[in-house]
Amino acid sequence: MRPTPPWALRQRLMAVMAIGLLVALGATGWTLSRLFEQEVEQQIRTELLRHLDYVTAQVTLTPNATATLDDLQLTDPRWTQPYSGLYWQLTQANGEHTLRSRSLWDAQLPVSAPAYGETGVWLAQSEGPKKQTLLVLTRSIHPIDAVNDIWYISVAVDHASVHSAMQSFDTALTVAMALLLLLMLALSWFQLRLGLAPLNSLQAGLDRLKRGDSNALEGYYPTELQPLVDDFNLALQHQHTSALLAREQAGNLAHGVKTPLSVMQQAAQLYGDHPLAQTVREHVTQAKRQIDWHLAKSRAAAAHQQIHEAIAATPMVDSLVRAMRVVHANKQLNIQWVRPTQQIDFLGAAPDFQEMLGNVLDNACMWATHTVHISVTYQHANQLQITIQDDGPGLSAAHIQHVMQRGVRLDEQQSGSGLGLTITQDLAATYGGKLQLGPSTLGGLQATLTLPARLRSTTS
């Protein structure tokens, strides 16, 4: 089972950046919200202390445990508006006397005693006349000549003002942070697109190289990528040189070894059916087969390393068809060649294409009775499919598996080393293609050769 491919580089970078921005902006928003809340509460405390000082200035305590408050000096209209949200109250510690603002109407503020360590002024929360939450600032006072007579002066404000301010601020802050996040993500995407643009150019260059449109990575790249491109081009050139050298050495080896073997075989023919002559002929034949096999393997390895070009398929098939009509002229075969309507290029070396197609076509003509049919089509997976059918005796499934083995021929009376189909199979596999044998609609054998290809554009 093919493993799931990882995310693209752009997707991974955008995901990391988005998570980082979410965390950073979330922490910033939470910090700003808490700071604003503290600031609002500090302003409320400052306002309450100012009101408390002002109310305290209007209080008069008498030695007979009574108190008065000149509320005419309290000019804020909220003191007199019922349930306005701003209240004051003067309460004796023992609860005997209580004065309160008209804004409290008939309600009364619950006054809490100072907690341990609190002296002078303390802040608390309590329930208001409308069941709302109040912030209550309380101060304890007492007459100079009656220190045991304690009075509590309290001013209170509705906590809803803090909540309302916080809600408005949080809404505006959320909108601002969301817009900032979108803007930063857009800038990050643009930055990634601009920064990774050379990689797109590199990928396009590799595609051109794979299609055979060029023999090297062309263009200029950033300083971080240019050394890699230069080394890659150098490796391609080295492989191309090695492939040419391997082909040349293979040809030299074939010429250097086959000539002495041919001389030995001709010399053995002079002795007729002598046992020694038969032994020499058998071993010479085996040696030729081994040489053909290893030369084909070396050519396949060289073809795998070389830089492939785009070769027009139709002219090469035309050439091979003409050659087969001459080679097998004595059989007077009807070789039907259906040309494709599209211009198809084989992505590889021309000698390899001739080797593969020539072997398969020659095998079909060798066994055909009257007709050989050839068709070339282009597949959507960038592949060239060549189908060759004949009306010969054909092969069974067992014989097909047997004949694809190295050096095997079903008819030893036929000339050749028996390596043609095997060499074709190996060369096709080197290019990522394949050779398949099966029954033909003409009654004989069908050979299907699949190779890498491309459609030639009108501008090529």
Side-chain angles (χ1 to χ4, degrees):
M1 183 176 180
R2 185 177 181 180
T4 303
W7 287 6
L9 182 60
R10 183 181 291 108
Q11 293 174 340
R12 285 185 286 179
L13 291 177
M14 280 298 298
V16 172
M17 198 166 297
I19 293 174
L21 288 176
L22 282 174
V23 173
L25 292 179
T28 302
W30 182 85
T31 303
L32 290 177
S33 179
R34 300 290 74 78
L35 290 175
F36 181 77
E37 183 179 12
Q38 294 176 7
E39 181 64 23
V40 171
E41 290 182 350
Q42 182 61 36
Q43 291 181 3
I44 294 295
R45 292 190 188 98
T46 302
E47 183 183 3
L48 282 175
L49 184 59
R50 182 172 59 82
H51 287 308
L52 182 61
D53 291 340
Y54 194 68
V55 171
T56 302
Q58 312 306 319
V59 174
T60 302
L61 298 178
T62 61
N64 57 354
T66 60
T68 60
L69 191 148
D70 187 5
D71 59 356
L72 295 178
Q73 300 299 322
L74 304 178
T75 57
D76 194 324
R78 290 179 294 173
W79 297 121
T80 58
Q81 180 183 352
Y83 310 131
S84 63
L86 182 62
Y87 314 101
W88 64 263
Q89 182 174 286
L90 177 61
T91 306
Q92 196 173 15
N94 56 16
E96 294 182 1
H97 301 282
T98 299
L99 299 176
R100 57 182 178 269
S101 63
R102 187 172 297 179
S103 57
L104 275 172
W105 201 244
D106 57 351
Q108 186 172 340
L109 295 175
V111 179
S112 60
Y116 177 78
E118 292 180 331
T119 58
V121 178
W122 63 93
L123 183 69
Q125 289 187 2
S126 64
E127 189 178 80
K130 289 293 186 178
K131 305 299 182 182
Q132 76 273 41
T133 301
L134 300 178
L135 290 176
V136 182
L137 189 64
T138 304
R139 170 182 287 156
S140 61
I141 60 175
H142 54 81
I144 297 176
D145 53 355
V147 294
N148 293 325
D149 186 13
I150 300 175
W151 291 78
Y152 296 138
I153 303 176
S154 301
V155 292
V157 67
D158 194 346
H159 190 268
S161 59
V162 179
H163 179 72
S164 177
M166 283 300 305
Q167 191 173 22
S168 300
F169 178 78
D170 288 342
T171 301
L173 182 63
T174 302
V175 173
M177 289 296 176
L179 293 177
L180 182 60
L181 175 63
L182 293 177
L183 177 61
M184 296 184 71
L185 286 177
L187 291 176
S188 300
W189 178 85
F190 179 77
Q191 181 183 11
L192 287 176
R193 184 178 179 86
L194 184 63
L196 297 179
L199 294 182
N200 296 332
S201 301
L202 183 62
Q203 182 180 8
L206 290 174
D207 290 339
R208 290 193 298 270
L209 187 66
K210 184 170 60 175
R211 294 194 306 266
D213 294 338
S214 63
N215 293 333
L217 291 177
E218 302 172 347
Y220 297 96
Y221 297 89
T223 54
E224 294 82 3
L225 291 179
Q226 191 62 47
L228 175 63
V229 173
D230 294 340
D231 291 343
F232 186 77
N233 286 333
L234 185 62
L236 286 178
Q237 185 61 36
H238 177 70
Q239 288 182 348
H240 182 61
T241 304
S242 299
L244 294 178
L245 181 60
R247 285 183 177 274
E248 183 178 356
Q249 291 177 346
N252 294 336
L253 180 62
H255 179 75
V257 175
K258 283 190 173 182
T259 300
L261 290 177
S262 298
V263 173
M264 293 174 61
Q265 190 173 26
Q266 291 176 1
Q269 295 291 341
L270 299 177
Y271 292 92
D273 295 333
H274 192 277
L276 179 59
Q278 293 180 357
T279 302
V280 171
R281 287 195 295 269
E282 290 176 0
H283 284 79
V284 167
T285 301
Q286 293 179 4
K288 285 186 175 181
R289 290 180 181 180
Q290 292 293 330
I291 292 172
D292 290 340
W293 168 255
H294 289 291
L295 287 178
K297 293 293 288 184
S298 64
R299 287 188 55 195
H304 179 70
Q305 295 180 359
Q306 70 175 345
I307 302 173
H308 296 151
E309 299 180 355
I311 308 298
T314 300
M316 299 186 68
V317 178
D318 281 334
S319 176
L320 287 171
V321 168
R322 288 194 299 269
M324 291 299 117
R325 284 172 177 164
V326 172
V327 172
H328 300 279
N330 59 327
K331 299 185 67 172
Q332 297 182 351
L333 295 175
N334 178 21
I335 302 179
Q336 302 173 356
W337 158 220
V338 182
R339 291 174 176 81
T341 58
Q342 301 167 305
Q343 295 183 352
I344 307 174
D345 289 340
F346 164 67
L347 300 182
D352 292 336
F353 185 83
Q354 293 175 341
E355 176 82 14
M356 290 183 286
L357 183 57
N359 288 335
V360 178
L361 186 56
D362 182 62
N363 185 78
C365 292
M366 185 183 302
W367 293 100
T369 303
H370 300 290
T371 304
V372 174
H373 185 273
I374 308 169
S375 65
V376 177
T377 57
Y378 178 78
Q379 305 298 316
H380 294 293
N382 296 326
Q383 289 182 332
L384 168 69
Q385 183 171 293
I386 304 175
T387 303
I388 301 177
Q389 303 183 68
D390 63 70
D391 60 350
L395 293 174
S396 64
H399 285 160
I400 288 176
Q401 184 177 4
H402 182 64
V403 80
M404 294 302 293
Q405 297 177 5
R406 177 164 58 99
V408 172
R409 289 185 291 117
L410 293 182
D411 189 355
E412 295 293 338
Q413 301 301 320
Q414 296 287 352
S415 61
S417 62
L419 293 169
L421 295 181
T422 308
I423 293 175
T424 301
Q425 180 179 244
D426 291 341
L427 278 176
T430 301
Y431 283 101
K434 58 184 176 180
L435 174 63
Q436 294 176 304
L437 302 181
S440 168
T441 56
L442 299 179
L445 184 68
Q446 174 177 303
T448 302
L449 185 61
T450 304
L451 299 171
R454 71 169 186 186
L455 286 179
R456 178 174 296 191
S457 62
T458 56
T459 58
S460 297

